[in-house]
Amino acid sequence: MMRSDARGWLIGLIAVWLVAALPSPALAADSPVQQQQQRQLTQPLNNAPVWREVRSGKSFSTTAKGVDTGVLINSSGQTWRAISEGPLWYWGGIVLLAVLGLIILYYLIRGTIKLKGRLAGRDILRFTDWDRVIHWATAISFVILAISGLIMLFGKHLLLSWMGYVAFSWLAIISKTIHNFVGPVFVLCTVLIILTFIRDNLPRAYDWKWIKTAGGMLGGREVPSGKFNAGEKAWFWGGVLLLGIIVSVTGLILDFPNFGQGRDTMQIAHLLHVSAAVIFMAIALGHIYLGTLGMQGTYHSMRHGTVDETWAKEHHEYWYDEVKARPSAAPDEGGGTHPAIQPER
């Protein structure tokens, strides 16, 4: 009886050894599974083929269902991180500092552009109440987004070392929260400001002369223009409209990640959002400078809605001629009338 059991055990062991020694007919010799089995014999604990599959970006089956739930590791995330933590913030900082430096240098050399003639003492209505409300709403939301965005982009590199982790973490969280909530307000303001000012920013034939002489800087005399000159129109079409739409659309993709966009879409949106925002801020620095320190009377026009007659004639002569040709009374937003040209108060 014992001999029979021993013989059975021996036959069983031989059978197991033969099965293990023979190649499996179901697996090709060069299949990933066969390669992994062979690797476990020659290089134990080396799971390179498995991790290649994991990092391939392919979507596999998972119990949790979602856009990216089948992808364990998204390798493109490392590319996104390398760009955002490297050239994006580095070159973005250089662009902003370069533009700011040029503006300061120009102001030190040129100073505020003064009127050549004496003030006439008569005001011309340039911007209605609605024009100023939508402009300031857009400007304020833009500044809030710019400051909070700069903290998120440059804070880790410039603020963390002297603020410390706790203080900077609070600053970053507050900045991110404000950015997320003010973003949709800016999107709405961008749409409204485009609709409000698009008519006055349509190209005109005389804009080409302004461009050729760089607004008079190359000709020694300011070139006549309509309500907005070619430079202001370029800011409207390239900045407010083009860059405004880019940062708005990409911002909404980042702000509301619950509409089916995956990680790849979010990463591309982030890179486009930051790149466009940096260019937007760089151009806006020039716009803000000309609207405040750069030119006498410009800030007054957007704050109070009126400009002196001399200012209008020197800077926007074609628009000044149009205003003078209008009837003395024109309907205002409230259904009443206001004089096109009135004594300064």
Side-chain angles (χ1 to χ4, degrees):
M1 184 69 177
M2 293 183 62
R3 288 182 179 179
S4 177
D5 292 342
R7 192 182 307 112
W9 277 101
L10 179 61
I11 294 174
L13 289 173
I14 294 174
V16 170
W17 178 81
L18 289 174
V19 171
L22 292 175
S24 174
L27 296 175
D30 58 348
S31 68
V33 175
Q34 186 69 21
Q35 293 175 3
Q36 182 64 15
Q37 291 176 346
Q38 183 65 28
R39 186 178 295 273
Q40 291 302 321
L41 297 175
T42 58
Q43 301 179 32
L45 304 180
N46 188 333
N47 294 321
V50 173
W51 286 109
R52 276 197 294 268
E53 287 292 308
V54 170
R55 296 178 61 86
S56 66
K58 298 178 183 178
S59 182
F60 298 92
S61 299
T62 56
T63 55
K65 301 302 178 182
V67 179
D68 289 319
T69 54
V71 180
L72 183 60
I73 295 179
N74 188 343
S75 298
S76 62
Q78 180 61 25
T79 304
W80 163 79
R81 182 178 181 274
I83 296 175
S84 60
E85 294 294 323
L88 192 60
W89 81 268
Y90 178 78
W91 289 108
I94 289 179
V95 168
L96 292 175
L97 289 176
V99 171
L100 183 61
L102 289 174
I103 291 175
I104 294 174
L105 181 62
Y106 182 81
Y107 177 74
L108 293 176
I109 296 174
R110 180 69 184 271
T112 301
I113 299 175
K114 303 287 186 179
L115 293 175
K116 297 180 177 64
R118 298 179 59 183
L119 294 175
R122 293 182 297 274
D123 282 346
I124 297 179
L125 181 67
R126 182 163 174 80
F127 298 114
T128 65
D129 292 342
W130 168 253
D131 294 340
R132 287 179 286 133
V133 167
I134 188 58
H135 173 272
W136 285 113
T138 307
I140 293 172
S141 60
F142 176 83
V143 171
I144 294 174
L145 291 172
I147 294 175
S148 57
L150 289 173
I151 291 174
M152 289 187 288
L153 180 61
F154 299 106
K156 185 169 69 173
H157 307 280
L158 302 178
L159 302 178
L160 179 60
S161 59
W162 64 271
M163 289 187 66
Y165 286 96
V166 175
F168 177 73
S169 67
W170 278 102
L171 179 62
I173 292 171
I174 293 173
S175 298
K176 179 178 179 296
T177 303
I178 292 175
H179 202 87
N180 290 343
F181 279 95
V182 177
V185 176
F186 175 78
V187 173
L188 176 61
C189 290
T190 298
V191 173
L192 294 177
I193 202 170
I194 290 173
L195 295 176
T196 300
F197 291 105
I198 190 170
R199 180 179 179 182
D200 291 323
N201 281 279
L202 294 175
R204 296 288 187 266
Y206 49 73
D207 290 332
W208 178 240
K209 185 177 181 181
W210 192 99
I211 295 173
K212 288 192 298 183
T213 60
M217 288 189 293
L218 301 180
R221 180 180 179 275
E222 186 157 352
V223 180
S225 63
K227 187 171 185 178
F228 299 114
N229 59 45
E232 292 169 317
K233 291 178 180 180
W235 159 247
F236 176 84
W237 292 103
V240 177
L241 192 142
L242 178 60
L243 294 175
I245 290 177
I246 293 176
V247 297
S248 296
V249 172
T250 54
L252 290 176
I253 292 174
L254 297 170
D255 215 356
F256 300 97
N258 51 334
F259 289 101
Q261 59 267 43
R263 283 177 287 189
D264 287 332
T265 301
M266 299 280 283
Q267 290 161 7
I268 294 173
H270 175 263
L271 296 179
L272 289 175
H273 184 79
V274 175
S275 301
V278 168
I279 298 173
F280 205 173
M281 286 185 283
I283 302 175
L285 287 173
H287 176 73
I288 294 171
Y289 166 73
L290 291 174
T292 52
L293 295 175
M295 185 175 293
Q296 178 186 359
T298 305
Y299 174 74
H300 182 278
S301 68
M302 188 51 74
R303 180 177 179 182
H304 302 284
T306 60
V307 294
D308 187 85
E309 186 176 350
T310 301
W311 187 97
K313 187 174 182 179
E314 289 189 10
H315 295 304
H316 300 274
E317 187 174 350
Y318 292 150
W319 172 70
Y320 169 73
D321 293 338
E322 292 175 5
V323 172
K324 287 186 62 178
R326 294 174 189 169
S328 59
D332 63 15
E333 291 179 315
T337 61
H338 59 260
I341 303 179
Q342 56 188 343
E344 186 177 13
R345 292 185 295 272

